[in-house]
Amino acid sequence: CTSDVSVGGLGDSYFEYLLKLYLVSNKLDTKSRDAFVSATSDISRMLTIKTNKTEYSFLTKMVNGEHDLTMDHLSCFYPGTLALAAMQPELHSHAAKWLSDAASILDTCIAMYDKQRTGLSPEAVEFDSESGEMVNGPSYYILRPETMESLFYMWRATRNEKYREAGWRIVRRWILFCRVDDGGFTGLAEVNVATPEGTDVMESFWMAESLK
């Protein structure tokens, strides 16, 4: 048991599936819907931080009541979930706020990829409390789906070409750095090098989610 609060590791699936439970119930599960709407307000108020100088918006963690200025790649599911919610007509009154939050956080997720020499995201990044600059935390890459899913839903919600372009950049980098000659795709041990080394592991969610 932990008192930590996060939209990333240990918390991401709960927030994601509040909305998706509502949708798969044919919108009959109003308890999950209401919990999701309430959670988005609290996440915006308590866990979303915008750096002063670089203007990154990111989802922090609360550790012992204090902000830990890190963002997991896992947290990058959240912009897409907000976009999916914003596309539901009965939730229209929240749509403008959700899409605004989604756009600013997804810009940070895109930067997590674009700032690396491979063009693929580390597992987590940290933000300097003074400069606001993004620096890598754990720099391995395991073919995670979260940013790709968010790019897909934000494209559907906004038709902004930058989301399709960002997704296509990631696909090209998968092919360049992660494709294995005798079949499959591998994760990378380090993303911010010119010639990354593969981990020889293809996670199950690569097939089940990232490619989907």
Side-chain angles (χ1 to χ4, degrees):
C1 182
T2 176
S3 61
D4 298 353
V5 181
S6 174
V7 184
L10 304 180
D12 55 314
S13 295
Y14 171 74
F15 296 111
E16 178 180 358
Y17 288 107
L18 284 177
L19 176 67
K20 291 180 177 178
L21 281 170
Y22 168 62
L23 297 179
V24 300
S25 74
N26 199 27
K27 301 187 177 181
L28 298 176
D29 185 356
T30 57
K31 182 177 180 180
S32 291
R33 177 203 64 197
D34 293 346
F36 173 79
V37 172
S38 177
T40 63
S41 176
D42 291 336
I43 290 168
S44 180
R45 179 171 55 88
M46 299 179 63
L47 296 179
T48 305
I49 292 179
K50 187 171 185 177
T51 60
N52 291 327
K53 295 183 179 179
T54 57
E55 297 191 348
Y56 288 120
S57 290
F58 66 98
L59 293 164
T60 185
K61 302 176 183 179
M62 293 289 288
V63 179
N64 296 322
E66 300 290 335
H67 285 119
D68 175 5
L69 302 181
T70 65
M71 180 168 166
D72 297 339
H73 186 282
L74 284 165
S75 299
C76 288
F77 85 91
Y78 190 62
T81 301
L82 291 178
L84 180 59
M87 288 187 282
Q88 309 309 311
E90 70 280 8
L91 298 175
H92 179 73
S93 62
H94 304 279
K97 169 64 172 171
W98 285 343
L99 287 176
S100 176
D101 286 352
S104 59
I105 294 167
L106 187 50
D107 280 348
T108 301
C109 295
I110 293 170
M112 289 168 66
Y113 282 77
D114 288 345
K115 286 176 67 68
Q116 312 304 322
R117 295 179 75 182
T118 61
L120 296 169
S121 173
E123 181 71 357
V125 294
E126 303 170 2
F127 295 88
D128 185 273
S129 60
E130 294 185 3
S131 69
E133 289 294 337
M134 177 191 298
V135 295
N136 288 1
S139 289
Y140 59 87
Y141 177 69
I142 56 174
L143 302 165
R144 286 201 181 277
E146 289 79 18
T147 296
M148 290 297 279
E149 182 173 3
S150 284
L151 291 169
F152 172 76
Y153 282 126
M154 281 294 282
W155 155 248
R156 284 290 182 90
T158 69
R159 299 296 176 177
N160 188 326
E161 283 291 332
K162 78 174 186 178
Y163 299 121
R164 288 210 302 182
E165 292 166 359
W168 182 231
R169 287 199 300 275
I170 295 171
V171 170
R172 294 201 307 270
R173 294 298 174 148
W174 284 342
I175 295 169
L176 180 61
F177 291 116
C178 300
R179 190 171 186 172
V180 179
D181 290 341
D182 57 357
F185 285 73
T186 178
L188 304 177
E190 165 65 53
V191 294
N192 201 26
V193 294
T195 55
E197 180 180 347
T199 60
D200 199 30
V201 175
M202 186 173 76
E203 301 284 353
S204 60
F205 49 71
W206 158 251
M207 298 291 288
E209 298 180 79
S210 303
L211 290 179
K212 180 183 70 176

